[in-house]
């Protein structure tokens, strides 16, 4: 699978869009796509996608019924962008950790205001690009200079995300990151993931110890694992079968809060853990990336039908 920008489509200025329009949800501004073949909703805060639904289908993404839509508050669900670090700072490699100036997890991109760069529409797809210039505005949280470009491509059969980081500084830049994808299920106990068999994973709930995956990934409660794999995956739920194909990634995070953790989370229903799972395309732990001056790296995922 190749994740690339669509060159055949034509950039259209606001007011001339055929399928895309501005909207406000709560206190946040977003763009919505109403194409004959699909719908989507993408927020400027966090470049955060919360909806993708082919015609006559339910949302392919899970969003908490208690999600909060206000400035500075990460939206619970959809696809948050964890950047320029993933997880708690202390668990990141030293090259990444030395640039982090805060104790906050998952970086600042998911609550930052991104800039709408481009909307390209054709009869069969819509592509939307947003950018975040990580400069002195974020100097209290991170020591670095980079440009992050998020490009979303929607069709009747798939959702594609490409996240490209370019180092604008004059020294090597190390980062970790993840596309923190929330997927819905009608029953987590009858849901499994195929494609990680034989992979080594770190179980954060078992003292960050290493294990090897035998058979498909099953869910029996709280799950928090980082797999050393970027292989294609199949997520099988009682109602749906989805494929996830990643690029620029050799690590995959699988997460479900389980009942105890769910009850402790803000804007998360106590029983919500039974209806969702996270399968995250990542550059995490030893899969961190280092960019020299002017160098770029793209991480991406395509979600489709099996």
């Amino acid at each position: 699978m190749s994740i690339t920008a669509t060159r055949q489509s034509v950039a259209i200025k606001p007011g001339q869009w055929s399928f895309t329009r501005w909207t406000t949800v709560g206190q946040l501004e977003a763009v919505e796509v109403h194409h004959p073949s699909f719908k989507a909703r993408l927020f400027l805060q966090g470049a955060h996608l919360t909806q993708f639904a082919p015609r006559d289908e339910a949302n392919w993404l899970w969003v908490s019924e208690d999600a909060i839509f206000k400035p500075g508050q990460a939206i619970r669900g959809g696809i948050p962008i964890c950047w320029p670090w993933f997880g708690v700072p202390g668990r990141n490699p030293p090259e990444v950790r030395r640039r982090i100036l805060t104790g906050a997890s998952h970086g600042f991109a998911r609550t930052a205001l991104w800039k709408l760069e481009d909307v390209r529409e054709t009869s069969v797809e819509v592509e939307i690009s947003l950018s975040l210039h990580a400069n002195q505005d974020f100097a209290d949280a991170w020591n670095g200079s980079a440009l992050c470009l998020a490009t979303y491509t929607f069709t009747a059969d798939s959702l594609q995300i490409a996240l490209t980081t370019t180092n604008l500084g004059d020294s090597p830049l190390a980062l970790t990151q993840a596309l923190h994808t929330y997927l819905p299920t009608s029953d987590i106990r009858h849901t499994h993931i195929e494609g990680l068999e034989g992979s080594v994973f770190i179980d954060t709930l078992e003292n960050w110890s290493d294990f090897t995956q035998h058979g498909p990934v099953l869910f029996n409660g709280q799950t928090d694992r980082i797999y050393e794999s970027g292989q294609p995956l199949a997520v099988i739920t009682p109602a749906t079968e989805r494929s996830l194909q990643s690029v620029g990634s050799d690590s995959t995070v699988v997460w479900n809060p389980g009942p105890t953790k769910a009850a402790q989370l803000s804007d998360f229903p106590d029983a919500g853990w039974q209806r969702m799972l996270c399968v995250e395309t990542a550059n995490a732990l030893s899969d961190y990336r280092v960019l020299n001056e002017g160098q770029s790296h793209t991480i991406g995922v395509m979600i489709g039908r099996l």
Side-chain angles (χ1 to χ4, degrees):
M1 191 241 340
S2 175
I3 292 185
T4 58
T6 302
R7 300 303 181 192
Q8 294 79 11
S9 53
V10 177
I12 306 173
K13 296 180 180 180
Q16 298 177 320
W17 298 332
S18 297
F19 311 119
T20 307
R21 64 196 67 170
W22 290 104
T23 189
T24 301
V25 180
Q27 301 175 37
L28 299 182
E29 195 170 26
V31 288
E32 284 188 341
V33 179
H34 293 265
H35 190 278
S37 299
F38 52 84
K39 295 187 296 185
R41 178 181 287 168
L42 180 61
F43 286 84
L44 295 190
Q45 177 174 284
H48 195 138
L49 185 70
T50 59
Q51 182 190 37
F52 171 71
R55 185 175 58 192
D56 300 326
E57 293 189 32
N59 193 357
W60 282 22
L61 305 174
W62 181 86
V63 178
S64 171
E65 60 197 59
D66 298 332
I68 298 172
F69 301 92
K70 69 177 184 180
Q73 173 74 45
I75 301 169
R76 179 73 69 181
I79 306 181
I81 294 175
C82 302
W83 184 93
W85 69 89
F86 170 78
V88 297
R91 286 292 181 177
N92 276 269
E95 296 93 330
V96 176
R97 191 165 62 240
R98 69 180 180 85
R99 290 185 176 272
I100 304 173
L101 307 177
T102 174
S105 298
H106 295 319
F108 49 79
R110 61 187 181 143
T111 55
L113 189 63
W114 292 55
K115 177 185 176 183
L116 180 64
E117 290 287 351
D118 205 3
V119 175
R120 296 172 178 264
E121 301 182 333
T122 72
S123 60
V124 296
E125 71 178 31
V126 174
E127 178 186 285
I128 301 176
S129 298
L130 301 96
S131 67
L132 178 66
H133 186 187
N135 51 21
Q136 288 303 308
D137 292 343
F138 303 95
D140 59 339
W142 186 65
N143 178 20
S145 180
L147 179 66
C148 194
L149 181 69
T151 302
Y152 298 81
T153 305
F154 309 108
T155 73
D157 300 305
S158 68
L159 153 67
Q160 182 174 295
I161 308 171
L163 188 70
T164 300
T165 301
T166 301
N167 179 13
L168 302 180
D170 56 9
S171 62
L173 173 67
L175 75 155
T176 54
Q177 58 187 335
L179 300 170
H180 198 303
T181 306
Y182 286 77
L183 299 171
T185 178
S186 57
D187 187 350
I188 190 62
R189 297 188 186 278
H190 292 90
T191 296
H192 68 273
I193 303 171
E194 299 175 356
L196 291 169
E197 296 85 350
S199 299
V200 173
F201 67 89
I202 293 174
D203 194 328
T204 71
L205 305 177
E206 296 290 342
N207 199 31
W208 291 75
S209 299
D210 290 354
F211 298 89
T212 299
Q213 181 66 40
H214 299 288
V217 179
L218 306 175
F219 297 87
N220 296 301
Q222 186 175 2
T223 304
D224 193 355
R225 301 173 178 177
I226 303 172
Y227 285 84
E228 297 177 358
S229 173
Q231 293 299 308
L233 305 177
V235 178
I236 312 298
T237 80
T240 62
E241 297 183 354
R242 300 277 182 256
S243 67
L244 279 74
Q245 299 183 61
S246 301
V247 296
S249 164
D250 291 315
S251 52
T252 300
V253 180
V254 177
W255 180 76
N256 179 283
T260 303
K261 181 71 172 179
Q264 300 170 354
L265 293 173
S266 61
D267 51 29
F268 196 106
D270 288 353
W273 67 276
Q274 301 177 57
R275 303 187 299 275
M276 55 70 63
L277 68 156
C278 283
V279 183
E280 308 170 37
T281 300
N283 293 135
L285 298 181
S286 61
D287 185 35
Y288 75 99
R289 301 302 165 104
V290 179
L291 305 178
N292 292 322
E293 180 181 357
Q295 188 176 9
S296 299
H297 170 68
T298 298
I299 185 174
V301 64
M302 178 184 285
I303 303 174
R305 298 185 178 92
L306 280 178

